[in-house]
Amino acid sequence: MQTPAEILYRLSLGVVAAQWDDYEGLAETSAWLESATAREMLRIDYYSRQSRSEEPVMGRVTDRKLKRAPLVALVLASMHRDGRLRERAVRLLCSSDSALSDRALAVRVADYVEAVRELAEQEVLRRTTLAQAARIMPLLQRISQRWRGSEVFARYLHALVAVHGEATVWACLRNSEGFEVRRAAFRHSFESGLLGLPDAVRLLPRERDQVVRRQLIGVVAELATPDVIAELLLRGRSAESRVLGLVKLTAAQLDPVEVERLLIDRSVLVRLWARLRWREMGRDPVEVYTAVARSAAKPVVRARAYVGLAETGTELDRSEIVGLARSADLPLKKIGLALLRGKAMASEVPWLLREMTGDHSRVARLAGEVLSSSPQLWSPTDLAVLKGSPETVLRRRGWWLHRGRGGWEAVIADLEFGEVRGRLALPMYFQPTDVQRQRIVDLLSTLSLDRHKVSEIAFAAGIPG
């Protein structure tokens, strides 16, 4: 989405192109306006009238010049902050049947000048072909959420139905490029009976919009037979459909093969429901997870099996966890590091610090969490490999790990990293050790902090003035 400054800049280019008959510039402005979504079109209209410079965005336009202006110039004029100019531009746009004039007139039904608003509404209600409706409805749907022009959406919809019939109109709206119009069309179609279960079954496999897909999933879950639910929902792309399939079907209605596959699903909620149904079948999910975790399956599948073992509370041997954490396969390495929290040994600190210097941010974060979960295994001096790095990202990782020790060590980490913005969270109920106090003194002497902040730190740390 473009910023207000970018919108005003593009508008100014269009104005210059219109003033100098720059046909290439006019074509670019026209393409920009035609490609804008309904929301963007309304933002363009809003910001085009917000200029407070001496020369308005559209410049000074005479009647004679306006009558011979190209279409895109008329569209720009219809967004001018001068209401009389907008009215003249709208009258001229009424004689054009172009796609751009459809959108420009739809925008004006929310104009704050009543004469402009009524003129635009009369013309919009006349443009009732399905192609015109596809361009006009997304804008009217957004305007319906406002005060001015909110009633035009219902009037235009009534006019369309009178011409084409309800089924044809809603079929057209279900193919709208505007997400909100399309979603509302599907919702109305199912509520009114224009669409039913066969349509949901047919549309669900290839639906990409999450909101519409949720509507289709709900229809299938409520109305379909168990075999259709199993076929469509349990094998659906979205986790929502797989969860709902497991919720709607009982253990007796489920195929054990399907449930076993879902035990190692990528979604935690799907795995939870699959384990519930698996136990209702009288089976143990731990046996499945153990077999898959130690099989020759793909690393990502084995990693999910280890996640399943952790979710069931199964204790793994520490040597097996370390083996996973040192694996060359990224999915296994990540789950190994996640399982190693609170179980690391002092001899593994140098290796974990090396993992924090790697290029993979997720692995580095997991290694840092292992270290932060066992702060007794290392000291701040061990972080020199990170703090002394020329790369900012590695220094920040060292600061984050050091700061995680809390207390006065967090203050020292902030001072070392130069991260002293706003008010420092200074410990209130205990003093730093002598070593910490001397480190704070050394750092305060090297940093350019304001006197008030230095006094605040010194007072809290018990440093004599």
Side-chain angles (χ1 to χ4, degrees):
M1 182 173 291
Q2 292 181 314
T3 65
E6 291 171 336
I7 289 173
L8 289 172
Y9 174 70
R10 294 296 298 267
L11 286 168
S12 66
L13 292 181
V15 170
V16 172
Q19 291 173 340
W20 294 94
D21 294 330
D22 179 4
Y23 295 108
E24 183 177 346
L26 289 172
E28 291 178 358
T29 302
S30 178
W32 171 57
L33 293 173
E34 288 174 357
S35 64
T37 63
R39 182 184 180 187
E40 291 168 344
M41 195 70 177
L42 293 174
R43 290 181 76 242
I44 291 169
D45 172 63
Y46 173 80
Y47 287 113
S48 70
R49 291 179 283 108
Q50 299 308 306
S51 173
R52 290 296 178 262
S53 60
E54 291 184 4
E55 188 73 11
V57 173
M58 268 300 301
R60 306 208 179 274
V61 184
T62 63
D63 281 344
R64 185 173 62 85
K65 185 175 182 180
L66 194 62
K67 288 180 181 179
R68 60 183 180 83
L71 175 65
V72 67
L74 293 177
V75 173
L76 293 174
S78 72
M79 295 186 284
H80 198 282
R81 71 184 187 194
D82 183 342
R84 289 167 296 182
L85 179 56
R86 291 201 306 277
E87 183 178 0
R88 298 200 304 271
V90 167
R91 291 188 184 281
L92 291 170
L93 285 172
C94 288
S95 62
S96 170
D97 290 329
S98 68
L100 192 53
S101 67
D102 292 338
R103 308 188 79 206
L105 289 167
V107 169
R108 293 273 61 81
V109 302
D111 199 284
Y112 57 86
V113 175
E114 185 177 359
V116 178
R117 192 164 61 245
E118 291 179 351
L119 182 62
E121 181 181 343
Q122 291 172 6
E123 181 59 25
V124 165
L125 293 177
R126 189 186 65 81
R127 302 187 176 211
T128 54
T129 68
L130 294 179
Q132 289 171 328
R135 295 186 288 265
I136 291 172
M137 282 298 277
L139 286 157
L140 296 186
Q141 199 277 339
R142 277 209 164 260
I143 291 171
S144 69
Q145 303 168 22
R146 303 181 174 188
W147 177 51
R148 284 189 296 267
S150 59
E151 69 286 349
V152 181
F153 178 82
R155 292 175 188 167
Y156 186 68
L157 183 58
H158 180 75
L160 289 175
V161 171
V163 175
H164 302 287
E166 188 174 10
T168 302
V169 170
W170 287 107
C172 173
L173 298 183
R174 289 195 299 271
N175 292 319
S176 173
E177 294 183 359
F179 284 122
E180 294 181 351
V181 173
R182 187 169 182 268
R183 292 165 180 174
F186 269 98
R187 183 169 58 252
H188 173 84
S189 297
F190 281 113
E191 291 174 352
S192 64
L194 291 173
L195 293 180
L197 176 61
D199 302 291
V201 171
R202 173 175 54 85
L203 294 170
L204 180 57
R206 58 177 182 272
E207 181 55 52
R208 294 292 185 270
D209 183 358
Q210 182 178 355
V211 175
V212 175
R213 188 168 62 227
R214 185 178 297 124
Q215 295 177 20
L216 300 175
I217 289 171
V219 172
V220 172
E222 289 298 323
L223 303 177
T225 58
D227 58 326
V228 174
I229 292 176
E231 177 68 24
L232 278 180
L233 300 191
L234 294 183
R235 299 177 185 177
R237 294 192 310 274
S238 70
E240 183 179 9
S241 71
R242 299 193 296 276
V243 169
L244 196 52
L246 288 168
V247 171
K248 296 297 291 188
L249 299 178
T250 65
Q253 294 172 323
L254 287 164
D255 182 356
V257 176
E258 285 290 335
V259 180
E260 184 176 5
R261 177 180 63 83
L262 294 174
L263 283 171
I264 51 174
D265 193 87
R266 62 180 179 273
S267 166
V268 60
L269 197 56
V270 173
R271 294 195 300 270
L272 185 149
W273 275 96
R275 285 195 295 272
L276 178 64
R277 294 292 184 246
W278 194 249
R279 289 190 178 105
E280 290 174 353
M281 293 176 178
R283 308 187 185 201
D284 186 5
V286 175
E287 295 178 358
V288 177
Y289 287 138
T290 303
V292 175
R294 289 157 189 170
S295 68
K298 293 181 180 179
V300 66
V301 176
R302 292 180 59 204
R304 288 180 196 158
Y306 277 110
V307 171
L309 287 172
E311 290 170 345
T312 57
T314 304
E315 286 293 331
L316 294 175
D317 187 70
R318 206 193 86 88
S319 60
E320 184 175 4
I321 294 174
V322 173
L324 291 171
R326 291 180 178 272
S327 172
D329 296 312
L330 192 59
L332 296 176
K333 177 186 283 289
K334 288 191 289 188
I335 186 58
L337 289 170
L339 295 173
L340 193 59
R341 295 189 192 103
K343 300 176 182 178
M345 298 176 64
S347 60
E348 294 164 343
V349 170
W351 158 62
L352 289 168
L353 288 171
R354 286 196 301 274
E355 293 290 354
M356 289 192 70
T357 63
D359 295 331
H360 200 284
S361 60
R362 172 69 172 165
V363 170
R365 186 172 71 82
L366 289 170
E369 289 176 358
V370 174
L371 289 169
S372 63
S373 67
S374 303
Q376 73 280 3
L377 300 180
W378 53 277
S379 67
T381 56
D382 294 326
L383 305 181
V385 64
L386 297 172
K387 293 182 176 181
S389 173
E391 299 181 34
T392 303
V393 65
L394 296 186
R395 295 199 302 274
R396 183 169 286 276
R397 288 174 187 172
W399 162 76
W400 171 81
L401 191 54
H402 188 180
R403 200 177 195 283
R405 295 179 75 92
W408 284 101
E409 288 299 335
V411 177
I412 293 172
D414 287 344
L415 293 173
E416 286 180 343
F417 193 70
E419 193 74 15
V420 191
R421 293 193 294 267
R423 186 176 179 84
L424 278 172
L426 299 172
M428 296 178 61
Y429 302 109
F430 60 93
Q431 291 283 299
T433 64
D434 291 339
V435 174
Q436 289 174 331
R437 184 178 291 110
Q438 185 58 49
R439 181 60 178 150
I440 292 171
V441 170
D442 296 340
L443 288 169
L444 289 177
S445 65
T446 60
L447 295 174
S448 300
L449 300 177
D450 63 80
R451 192 165 61 181
H452 173 73
K453 188 161 291 185
V454 171
S455 300
E456 182 184 9
I457 297 172
F459 177 79
I463 300 171

